[in-house]
Amino acid sequence: MSSQVTSAPTKTQVREDFGGRWIFILAAMGSAIGLGNIWRFPYIAYENGGGAFIIPYLVALLSAGIPLLFFDYSLGHRFKGSPPLTFRRLNKRTEAVGWWHAMICVIIGIYYAAILAWATMYIFFSATEAWGDDPNAYFFEEYLQMSETPALNFELVPGVFWPLLIIWVATLLILAFGVRRGIGLASAIGIPLLVLMFLVLIVIALTLPGSSSGLDALFTPNWEALLNPSVWIAAYGQIFFSLSVGFGIMITYASYLKRRTNLTSSGLVVAFSNSGFEILAGIGVFATLGFMAQAAGLEIGEVVTSGIGLAFVAFPEIISQAPLGLGPIIGILFFGSLLIAGFTSMISILEVTFSAIKDKTGWSRNTVVWTVGTLLALVSLFGFGTTSGLALLDTFDYFVNNFGIVAAAFVAVVVVAWLLRRLNRVVAHLNKVSSFRLGTVYKILVAIVLPVVLGYMLITEFLNQSTAEEPYGGYPEWYVNTFGWGMAIGIIVIAIILSLIPWPKNSALYTEQSSNEYPLDDTDPPLGKHASTTEPEQGVTP
């Protein structure tokens, strides 16, 4: 496609921005530090070599996580747009990739809110230890009122529905205030508060009897695990899922940065802060699990769990057993941390979708937030505020993460690096605005290592599911085909359809500045050859 001058409207509108680099860093940290840092990393580390897992984890962070983070930053900052606008400006035929990112965020957003609703209620439950002697039965049977079959129904659960409604109202209010007064301010308050609360939780956890045995279980290295390929894949998977990369969040956030922003140093701060919090989470979680094991007279391996089981079953048991009246304090700190970490992540997830629609339609932020947001809230309320909500959440979560995010990240990297040959421009832009310069090693990591790792993860997970004796989670085949595979394929179809809709003249494509530095032409040299970083500005349209 050759560049040509057109009579499109003059780009005069200025895109929203964070107002400062550190607000962006806090917002990016708020997105990256989420539920997975607290309830997934400790278990993954324990199951994959303990202290030895730190080695593949750091290798994955340096060879894949940070390169993909820089990749997202460069695209968003260079093209000043949400994922659909960014990929449209990259090449008109790749817009669907951006809409794929936005649709992934729709799916995650509508079920993520339900977990935050649970955490909100468990803050109050912690004060009275409402779960009694059986936290497992209380959570699944009394609180969630989980139906015996996964088939969708609209039997509302008041204890989930009403806090879920509050979560949605609070989220939409913050997003309606915009990038500076909404997202930026929420992150500037939320992240320091989250770190403070979790540090207090760790201090308390370390004083509990048996905490040292929990830490020994987590950090004692099993060096033989390093010879197991699955351990390395687990490390790469944890990095991808915890950094909020590959599905549009960091592209969107980077589009709100000012013209001259040090992208690589900002990315390093975000990446290592995220990993640092995961280590803290591991210490806090396993110190308390060590106490739980000692109190129950069990081995640490018998009480270790992750995800929903850790948060809403294991921790309530710990709270009930805590000495000196510490239980309610531990509960409020733990579930409060879950709520804050998840809330800042949910804001970033929904911002991708809202920004995409705002860019394409030319609607105001308020119009998008309150129309589209209300529609998503209704789907969330009547999909996950019911007795069948947990099965739907479990299915959505598995398939959108393992087949949505991984596949979308794989396609984005392959499209930019190999099909369009734009990787030199990605690196050129990073080097033009950053102090930490990148070169051939970075190109190899993005063009070769990332596709190989992402492709291997995708194929392996697909083979595991397609050859399994029963459908995912033991759910009926029709259910998994509809809400698992059907959802994963459906969002791709919707993305393609949305990309075929023409951009109106009042859309961001025509009214907002299209570039932070210089235009991207269509004559990039092949991968590995030198690309100039000093092209003059030209009046061209994408």
Side-chain angles (χ1 to χ4, degrees), residues 1 71 75 79 86-95 97 411-426 520-527:
M1 181 179 66
F71 178 85
L75 290 178
F79 291 109
T86 291
F87 279 93
R88 170 61 178 79
R89 284 174 167 164
L90 181 69
N91 188 293
K92 65 186 300 182
R93 291 179 290 273
T94 61
E95 182 185 331
V97 178
V411 170
V413 170
V414 170
V415 164
V416 174
W418 293 106
L419 298 184
L420 299 180
R421 298 292 183 128
R422 295 293 186 263
L423 187 54
N424 284 313
R425 294 299 186 192
V426 169
L520 183 71
D521 63 27
D522 296 303
T523 57
D524 269 2
L527 182 70

Side-chain angles (χ1 to χ4, degrees), residues 44-124:
I44 294 295
Y46 172 77
E47 288 288 304
N48 291 278
F53 182 72
I54 299 299
I55 294 176
Y57 177 83
L58 288 176
V59 170
L61 176 66
L62 296 174
S63 65
I66 291 176
L68 188 53
L69 186 64
F70 289 170
F71 178 85
D72 283 354
Y73 280 2
S74 180
L75 290 178
H77 187 248
R78 167 64 183 80
F79 291 109
K80 298 288 284 183
S82 60
L85 179 56
T86 291
F87 279 93
R88 170 61 178 79
R89 284 174 167 164
L90 181 69
N91 188 293
K92 65 186 300 182
R93 291 179 290 273
T94 61
E95 182 185 331
V97 178
W99 283 111
W100 191 4
H101 289 165
M103 292 308 302
I104 286 172
C105 289
V106 167
I107 298 299
I108 297 176
I110 60 175
Y111 75 72
Y112 210 81
I115 303 174
L116 303 189
W118 304 345
T120 301
M121 293 303 296
Y122 265 72
I123 293 175
F124 297 102

Side-chain angles (χ1 to χ4, degrees), residues 282-302:
I283 293 172
V285 168
F286 267 80
T288 51
L289 288 176
F291 160 72
M292 178 182 176
Q294 178 172 300
L298 301 171
E299 295 294 327
I300 189 70
E302 297 179 76

Side-chain angles (χ1 to χ4, degrees), residues 110 115 128 168 213 218 235 249 276 287 326 363 378 390 512 537:
I110 60 175
I115 303 174
T128 60
W168 272 102
S213 63
L218 175 62
I249 293 176
L326 290 175
W363 296 349
L378 290 173
L390 180 59
E512 286 189 3
E537 283 281 0

